[in-house]
Amino acid sequence: MSIRHTVKVRGGATMAVAAVLALTLAGCGGADGKSDSKEPAKTSAAQPSSGSSPSAPEGGNSTAPVQVLATVNGESGIVLTINSVAREAGGFVTVNGQIKNTGNQQFVKTGAWRGGERELSGSGESVAGATLVDKAGKKRYYVLRDTDGRCLCTTGVAGIDVGATVPFFAQFPAPPPATTDVDFTLPTFATAAVKISG
């Protein structure tokens, strides 16, 4: 009997202490209208962005310069810069870069960039007209499509404001592993000779 009685007392004491602590904490947290939940919000808001895109703010922590493989000019002051041409494990090559409007008016003639693309009428313009050419192998590669026929490339580029930069990507079937030198072409731009990495 004494064991059972002791358990009851300990259980009752634990509940009493818990009740007193709960009341104390409730009184401290709500009396001045302040909440401790603000501290985690400050921490998460202050975390630096993990993005490493060329358009990252100047105040970012990244000190690595953006690689430039090629820069070619287009019409009306539009400049295309290629930052990477990487061979991927899935059997394709991804081209990443940016297009900048260095002209003195908004550029809206992006329709030529989509080539013969027909599936993107509701998504705006694209860079589906881009090609990779393996001159040594005498083969031209077109932008890959998904199972719905949409390009694996940047879409929705309706225009580029003066001074604005638009990032782009396009994925192509990978040339043979021995091929490293290819020509990248996007309509209205000069051809860019680039090397495939990876």
Side-chain angles (χ1 to χ4, degrees), residues 110-135:
T110 62
W113 298 347
R114 70 178 173 186
E117 186 71 61
R118 298 286 179 256
E119 289 83 0
L120 295 170
S121 59
S123 303
E125 304 298 346
S126 72
V127 294
T131 60
L132 276 186
V133 175
D134 172 8
K135 289 192 290 188

Side-chain angles (χ1 to χ4, degrees), residues 54 67-72 80-88 92-99 127-128 130-133 141-144 152-155 166-175 180-186 192-197:
Q67 183 178 20
V68 175
L69 298 181
T71 300
V72 291
L80 180 144
T81 302
I82 298 175
N83 300 115
S84 68
V85 181
R87 191 182 299 272
E88 310 286 349
F92 55 90
V93 168
T94 302
V95 177
N96 284 293
Q98 50 192 330
I99 302 171
V127 294
T131 60
L132 276 186
V133 175
Y141 297 91
Y142 295 93
V143 175
L144 289 168
L152 298 181
C153 67
T154 297
T155 61
V166 176
F168 80 91
F169 83 96
Q171 293 182 325
F172 303 88
T180 57
D181 295 314
V182 291
D183 287 345
F184 175 84
T185 304
L186 182 63
V194 292
K195 283 190 176 291
I196 300 174
S197 65

Side-chain angles (χ1 to χ4, degrees), residues 31-114:
D32 58 359
K34 295 181 181 176
S35 171
D36 290 341
S37 64
K38 288 183 182 178
E39 191 62 33
K42 287 179 185 175
T43 303
S44 62
Q47 291 177 351
S49 171
S50 61
S52 59
S53 66
S55 58
E58 290 182 16
N61 294 333
S62 176
T63 58
V66 175
Q67 183 178 20
V68 175
L69 298 181
T71 300
V72 291
N73 296 321
E75 59 185 28
S76 304
I78 299 298
V79 178
L80 180 144
T81 302
I82 298 175
N83 300 115
S84 68
V85 181
R87 191 182 299 272
E88 310 286 349
F92 55 90
V93 168
T94 302
V95 177
N96 284 293
Q98 50 192 330
I99 302 171
K100 182 173 184 177
N101 183 354
T102 64
N104 55 12
Q105 60 185 358
Q106 183 184 34
F107 183 79
V108 292
K109 300 177 186 176
T110 62
W113 298 347
R114 70 178 173 186

